[in-house]
Amino acid sequence: MITYEEAMAKLQQDGQEHVLAYYDELDEAGKQHLLKQIEELDFSVLALADPKVRRKTTAARGKITPLTAMELPEIEENKEHFKATGLEAIRAGKVGAVLLAGGMGTRLGSDNPKCMYDIGITHPVFIMQRLIENTLDVVREADGHMIPFFIMTSKKNDAVTREFLKEHDYFGYDPSFVYFFEQEMAPACDYNGRVYMEEKDTIATSPNGNGGWFTSMNRAGLVDTCHELGIEYLNCFAVDNVLQRIADPVFVGAMIEKKCACASKVVRKVSPDEKVGAMCLEDGKPSIIEYYDMTPELKEEKNGKGDPAYNFGVILNYLFSEKDLEKIMNEKLTVHVVEKKIPYLDPFGNHIKPESPNGYKFEQLILDMIHEMDSCLPFEVDRKREFAPIKNRTGVDSVESARELCKGCGISL
Ligand code: UTP
């Protein structure tokens, strides 16, 4: 553990000495806790709160060109063949699932992790239960062959997530195939880059985004576990899409047949202005262009069929070749600066829970990993059957909209 002097020297490098302001008031446990946090955190990201620094470090976008997606008719035509290939890989133990559940779900506004949210109407239907039931569908199709199920949590929700699964008997999943790992945290700061304190002995932190998942998995020794189990493909997905298919054999088979380094489930955009990132090539490599980066020209551009050229949005369900993930593991991903509500301790010792954003969090994103890969297969899915994200309580991408979509798929709520 670092000493007080070492901690102070580290903080001085990034102008954050105020973190130790209450040090003398703390008991021994509090002192140790604070020093450990200072030792573990990377404060250099806080410089990005300054827009000038941000502009300097954000690489300009490369040349954007279309990337052809595999569309529904082509998938339908080859479905049985892809499925057979995918199931063979699953039965051979080559496919693992990775649930990204380290986020804070602030928009949903529940105190518990998002996976514990109950979307049921007449009986409980937890988000986690939906995900596990969807995975079990595939286990059954693969003659009972279990799919190793990795769950990424963060310091803020790890214990309660584990407890919840245990309490519910893992919703029928064999617990010996469930592996937890924690992602890293990043400091959170005000608009001037000054880190907030959550308690006198605790720096305000938040999970550092979903982009570090493979590095965190490696740190937890689980990449070694992948080797031991013979896993060659990892299907990585968000916690909040209650309709998504996990380790979908058709998707797995298509990527294997097309020999791509990764694949992404995509949905046809409802309009060129829909707020989803679209698959594309950037300087010839697969990439995702955010809706706010789309120029009027890109929105207008058509492909050979006369359809919009950037017509397929990502839904945070990716499949990666494990070997290719290892190749890019040490690449530095862009750090995104996100405005959020950050609870903090004010100078008078009051705990403040802000109603509106009051500062920045720093995140790396899984979508930036796609650009590091040599090839990517965008794979179309029917949004009514596979895309019911829960970000908000009401309105767009909400509990309400997801319930309607679930009902449309015959899921009892
Ligand atoms: P979101 O972008 O929806 O973020 O995450 P969030 O933090 O959960 O929700 P808001 O923005 O505060 O409302 C997309 C997926 O990535 C995971 C989330 O759990 C979700 O599955 N995620 C996000 C992580 O695993 N770690 C993170 O640091 C952030």
Side-chain angles (χ1 to χ4, degrees):
M1 173 92 72
I2 55 173
T3 61
Y4 173 88
E5 287 70 29
E6 287 164 339
M8 182 54 97
K10 181 172 178 184
L11 293 167
Q12 277 167 346
Q13 282 174 13
D14 297 293
Q16 306 293 336
E17 301 89 307
H18 64 282
V19 166
L20 285 167
Y22 300 109
Y23 188 79
D24 290 338
E25 290 177 35
L26 303 176
D27 61 14
E28 202 43 44
K31 286 180 178 167
Q32 295 298 312
H33 178 258
L34 186 57
L35 291 178
K36 183 158 188 283
Q37 245 195 328
I38 297 169
E39 182 171 34
E40 284 174 358
L41 289 170
D42 171 11
F43 295 97
S44 66
V45 290
L46 297 167
L48 293 168
D50 181 347
K52 286 199 281 301
V53 177
R54 222 150 53 222
R55 272 196 293 277
K56 255 192 240 154
T57 54
T58 314
R61 286 219 82 124
K63 187 174 162 41
I64 304 293
T65 53
L67 171 62
T68 308
M70 183 184 273
E71 298 183 26
L72 290 174
E74 184 182 351
I75 295 168
E76 198 48 45
E77 211 171 288
N78 296 287
K79 194 170 169 185
E80 290 315 312
H81 175 59
F82 288 155
K83 195 172 179 172
T85 306
L87 283 175
E88 191 185 312
I90 294 168
R91 285 194 203 99
K94 293 182 184 173
V95 182
V98 185
L99 165 59
L100 303 175
M104 298 287 284
T106 44
R107 283 169 287 174
L108 187 60
S110 161
D111 285 337
N112 280 327
K114 220 184 224 186
C115 67
M116 290 170 63
Y117 200 86
D118 178 7
I119 62 162
I121 297 168
T122 60
H123 56 100
V125 179
F126 301 101
I127 290 183
M128 180 68 99
Q129 178 182 354
R130 288 263 57 257
L131 301 176
I132 290 194
E133 281 170 1
N134 289 351
T135 315
L136 283 171
D137 286 347
V138 180
V139 169
R140 275 188 288 275
E141 272 189 293
D143 310 319
H145 192 99
M146 290 304 292
I147 295 161
F149 198 91
F150 300 92
I151 302 177
M152 180 167 86
T153 59
S154 81
K155 270 205 175 19
K156 304 240 173 193
N157 69 12
D158 184 73
V160 56
T161 305
R162 285 176 192 250
E163 196 48 42
F164 173 70
L165 268 159
K166 216 195 266 166
E167 237 171 63
H168 290 274
D169 284 329
Y170 297 79
F171 297 104
Y173 218 75
D174 179 343
S176 62
F177 288 89
V178 178
Y179 302 83
F180 290 91
F181 63 102
E182 265 186 33
Q183 69 173 100
E184 277 78 57
M185 306 297 281
C189 65
D190 67 14
Y191 290 120
N192 298 317
R194 184 181 157 92
V195 73
Y196 277 119
M197 295 303 286
E198 202 171 282
E199 300 288 347
K200 289 184 176 177
D201 66 354
T202 309
I203 299 165
T205 58
S206 72
N208 68 344
N210 55 28
W213 68 273
F214 192 67
T215 317
S216 304
M217 212 169 145
N218 187 42
R219 195 161 298 158
L222 291 173
V223 170
D224 291 339
T225 305
C226 286
H227 295 160
E228 283 152 24
L229 296 171
I231 291 176
E232 293 181 18
Y233 306 98
L234 286 169
N235 181 203
C236 207
F237 57 97
V239 71
D240 47 38
N241 177 5
V242 287
L243 276 186
Q244 68 193 313
R245 308 310 302 168
I246 293 153
D248 171 1
V250 185
F251 184 42
V252 174
M255 179 173 127
I256 295 176
E257 297 287 341
K258 294 291 170 190
K259 299 189 170 52
C260 285
C262 68
S264 166
K265 286 208 166 181
V266 293
V267 290
R268 193 173 289 264
K269 285 170 68 167
V270 282
S271 77
D273 290 322
E274 190 184 353
K275 291 181 175 168
V276 294
M279 291 276 352
C280 63
L281 290 174
E282 182 175 353
D283 292 334
K285 288 190 80 181
S287 190
I288 289 151
I289 176 152
E290 287 295 352
Y291 65 93
Y292 46 76
D293 281 338
M294 290 276 283
T295 60
E297 293 74 39
L298 291 175
K299 282 187 196 166
E300 285 303 312
E301 199 176 319
K302 302 279 186 287
N303 64 17
K305 291 188 204 161
D307 292 331
Y310 304 94
N311 209 15
F312 289 100
V314 289
I315 61 168
L316 222 172
N317 186 313
Y318 301 105
L319 183 64
F320 292 94
S321 137
E322 195 277 332
K323 267 204 194 80
D324 287 83
L325 284 169
E326 286 187 39
K327 281 192 220 155
I328 66 153
M329 190 152 49
N330 297 322
E331 299 294 332
K332 279 244 172 289
L333 296 180
T334 303
V335 176
H336 296 258
V337 181
V338 201
E339 244 188 297
K340 294 256 177 165
K341 296 181 221 170
I342 303 155
Y344 67 99
L345 194 69
D346 77 4
F348 311 103
N350 304 310
H351 290 98
I352 310 289
K353 224 177 162 181
E355 297 287 319
S356 51
N358 61 331
Y360 296 127
K361 292 184 174 179
F362 301 88
E363 298 189 336
Q364 294 183 327
L365 302 178
I366 186 170
L367 57 82
D368 290 323
M369 290 170 82
I370 301 296
H371 191 49
E372 303 296 328
M373 294 279 162
D374 289 334
S375 56
C376 180
L377 172 71
F379 179 94
E380 186 186 12
V381 297
D382 177 357
R383 62 195 300 153
K384 284 205 256 0
R385 305 210 70 77
E386 291 201 30
F387 190 41
I390 298 177
K391 301 285 184 195
N392 309 296
R393 246 174 220 205
T394 56
V396 179
D397 296 344
S398 66
V399 180
E400 282 170 358
S401 60
R403 278 182 179 148
E404 283 311 306
L405 287 157
C406 282
K407 279 189 218 157
C409 291
I411 293 162
S412 148
L413 293 177

